[in-house]
C-alpha cells in the first residue's frame, strides 16, 4: 500500500482532477453512495463540457445537467428514482436548455460491459442481451459480430475508459485504499477502467483498519489521486451503515425543478448559495439528518486471517 497522504478538500480535489471536457464516471453504486457533494462542487466551479458516464443515473446527473456543465451523457437512464422524470435532463434534450445535450443510450449491462472491457485493456466487450431492442439503432458503439468459435451473433460494445471515476465509499486510509460494502453496482469496473480515481469517504481511518480486512479493500490506493473526507457526502442517497435515503429531498427537488425558472432558484439556494458541504448540512438541519442515521446495527461476523 502506498504511504503518501492524498487527503485534500473537495474544492481542491475537483480543481485538480476535473478538467473541461473530461469524461467522468459517477453514481456507480446505482441508487446508493452517489457522490452528490462532488457533483455540487463541480457545478459551483462551472467546469463545463463534461461527459457523464453511469448506469441507472439518479438525480445527480439531472442536477449537473441543470447546472450547465454537461455536454454528453452515456447512461442507461437519467431521472429521479422517487418521481421518475429528470426535468433538467428533459429540457436539455428537448429544448437545449441550459445547454444542448448529446445522449448515448445504453442498458445497465452494456455500461458495465464497456467499463469491464476498458478495465482489461480491450477495445470492446461482448454481450447478447440487447438483441431485439432499439438501442442498437441509436447507439453506433454497439455492433453485431460473429463468434469465431460458434458462428453465433453477439454484440460488441466499445470499451469505456473514463478520465476520472468519482466514487463514494464508507472509509479509506490517507493513501486511498478504500473499504466498500453494501450495494456496489459497477464501482469496481469503473475504478479499474478509469485513468484516475477520486474517493470521497465518510471517514478517513488509520491504515491498520484497512489492512485488517484486505478483502474489503475494493479500491486500491495506487489507483487513487485524491481522498476527500466528506461526511454525508452522498446525501440524499443512502450509504450502507451510515444513513438512509432522504425520500423527501427527492420529492422536493422534483417539485422545485419542474419549471426552468424554479430550477434556477433551486440551484441558487442549494448549490451556489452554499459554499461547501458543511453549509449544505447546516441548511438541511440536524433533526432531519438524525432521522436518516442508521437505527439498526447489523455488524458482519468477524473473520480470521490467521495462518
Amino acid at each position: 500500500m502506498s504511504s503518501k497522504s492524498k487527503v485534500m478538500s473537495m474544492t481542491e480535489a475537483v480543481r485538480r482532477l476535473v478538467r473541461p471536457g473530461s469524461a467522468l464516471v459517477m453514481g456507480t453504486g446505482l441508487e446508493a453512495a452517489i457522490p452528490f457533494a462532488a457533483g455540487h462542487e463541480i457545478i459551483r466551479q462551472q467546469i463545463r463540457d463534461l461527459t457523464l458516464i453511469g448506469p441507472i443515473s439518479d438525480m445527480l446527473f439531472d442536477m449537473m445537467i441543470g447546472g450547465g456543465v454537461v455536454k454528453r451523457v452515456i447512461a442507461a437512464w437519467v431521472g429521479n428514482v422517487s418521481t421518475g422524470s429528470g426535468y433538467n435532463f428533459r429540457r436539455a434534450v428537448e429544448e437545449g436548455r441550459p445547454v444542448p445535450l448529446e445522449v448515448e443510450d445504453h442498458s445497465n449491462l452494456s455500461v458495465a460491459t464497456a467499463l469491464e472491457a476498458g478495465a482489461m485493456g480491450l477495445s470492446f466487450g461482448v454481450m447478447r442481451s440487447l438483441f431485439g431492442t432499439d438501442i442498437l439503432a441509436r447507439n453506433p458503439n454497439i455492433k453485431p459480430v460473429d463468434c469465431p468459435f460458434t458462428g453465433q451473433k453477439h454484440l460488441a460494445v466499445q470499451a469505456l475508459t473514463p478520465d476520472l471515476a468519482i466514487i463514494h465509499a464508507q472509509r479509506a486510509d490517507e493513501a486511498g485504499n478504500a473499504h466498500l460494502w453494501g450495494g456496489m453496482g459497477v464501482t469496481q469496473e469503473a475504478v479499474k477502467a478509469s485513468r484516475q480515481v477520486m474517493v470521497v469517504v465518510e471517514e478517513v481511518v488509520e491504515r491498520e483498519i484497512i489492512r485488517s480486512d484486505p478483502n474489503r479493500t475494493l479500491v486500491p490506493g495506487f489507483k487513487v489521486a485524491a481522498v476527500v473526507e466528506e461526511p454525508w457526502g452522498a446525501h440524499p442517497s443512502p450509504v450502507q451503515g451510515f444513513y438512509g435515503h432522504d425520500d423527501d429531498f427527492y420529492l422536493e427537488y422534483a417539485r422545485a425543478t419542474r419549471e426552468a425558472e424554479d430550477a434556477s432558484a433551486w440551484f441558487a439556494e442549494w448549490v451556489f448559495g452554499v459554499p461547501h458541504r458543511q453549509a449544505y448540512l447546516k441548511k438541511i438541519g440536524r433533526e432531519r439528518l438524525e432521522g436518516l442515521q442508521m437505527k439498526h446495527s447489523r455488524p458482519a461476523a468477524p473473520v480470521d486471517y490467521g495462518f
Side-chain angles (χ1 to χ4, degrees):
M1 294 184 183
S2 171
S3 60
K4 182 181 178 181
S5 176
K6 300 172 184 176
V7 176
M8 61 187 75
S9 70
M10 181 68 77
T11 300
E12 182 180 5
V14 167
R15 185 173 61 246
R16 285 190 181 190
L17 299 181
V18 183
R19 296 284 182 266
S22 294
L24 312 181
V25 57
M26 305 173 72
T28 57
L30 302 180
E31 295 182 24
I34 300 170
F36 278 98
H40 289 184
E41 182 59 31
I42 292 169
I43 297 170
R44 278 193 290 269
Q45 293 191 24
Q46 284 292 286
I47 305 171
R48 294 176 175 267
D49 297 327
L50 301 175
T51 293
L52 298 185
I53 301 168
I56 292 179
S57 303
D58 201 348
M59 207 163 61
L60 175 60
F61 278 25
D62 188 72
M63 288 179 182
M64 295 178 71
I65 292 165
V69 299
V70 182
K71 180 180 180 179
R72 187 167 183 243
V73 166
I74 300 173
W77 180 82
V78 178
N80 181 325
V81 295
S82 293
T83 63
S85 288
Y87 297 114
N88 289 306
F89 171 69
R90 288 193 62 174
R91 277 190 290 271
V93 172
E94 296 173 357
E95 306 170 24
R97 294 192 297 164
V99 293
L101 183 68
E102 302 169 21
V103 179
E104 182 175 311
D105 284 332
H106 277 268
S107 69
N108 280 339
L109 181 58
S110 65
V111 170
T113 300
L115 290 170
E116 188 171 35
M120 293 190 290
L122 303 175
S123 59
F124 66 91
V126 179
M127 61 182 296
R128 291 177 57 85
S129 68
L130 288 179
F131 281 118
T133 74
D134 62 356
I135 289 179
L136 298 184
R138 298 198 306 270
N139 188 340
N141 295 321
I142 304 176
K143 299 180 182 296
V145 293
D146 294 326
C147 173
F149 302 106
T150 67
Q152 284 187 318
K153 286 288 185 185
H154 289 68
L155 293 172
V157 184
Q158 187 177 50
L160 287 170
T161 53
D163 296 307
L164 178 68
I166 303 179
I167 68 165
H168 192 96
Q170 281 89 345
R171 63 191 181 203
D173 64 20
E174 291 183 343
N177 302 290
H179 279 177
L180 290 80
W181 58 92
M184 290 177 286
V186 297
T187 297
Q188 286 185 279
E189 293 87 345
V191 165
K192 290 185 286 186
S194 299
R195 296 181 177 89
Q196 290 186 300
V197 178
M198 179 197 302
V199 176
V200 185
V201 293
E202 292 296 315
E203 55 182 350
V204 174
V205 298
E206 296 296 326
R207 295 187 180 112
E208 288 70 23
I209 293 176
I210 300 299
R211 289 171 175 161
S212 73
D213 196 351
N215 283 10
R216 208 180 304 276
T217 309
L218 301 182
V219 180
F222 68 83
K223 286 283 293 185
V224 175
V227 179
V228 179
E229 187 175 43
E230 195 77 283
W232 295 91
H235 178 273
S237 70
V239 174
Q240 190 84 46
F242 284 81
Y243 46 87
H245 191 273
D246 191 340
D247 301 325
D248 289 341
F249 195 96
Y250 279 76
L251 299 176
E252 292 160 4
Y253 175 80
R255 288 192 293 266
T257 57
R258 183 180 292 271
E259 302 297 334
E261 295 74 16
D262 295 336
S264 296
W266 187 90
F267 282 101
E269 180 180 0
W270 285 99
V271 180
F272 298 109
V274 286
H276 44 65
R277 199 63 172 180
Q278 291 73 28
Y280 170 93
L281 296 177
K282 184 177 180 181
K283 187 173 179 61
I284 293 290
R286 179 179 297 179
E287 182 177 354
R288 183 166 178 172
L289 295 176
E290 287 176 351
L292 296 170
Q293 286 180 315
M294 182 183 67
K295 299 177 179 61
H296 306 288
S297 180
R298 295 289 187 272
V303 298
D304 192 338
Y305 285 101
F307 56 92

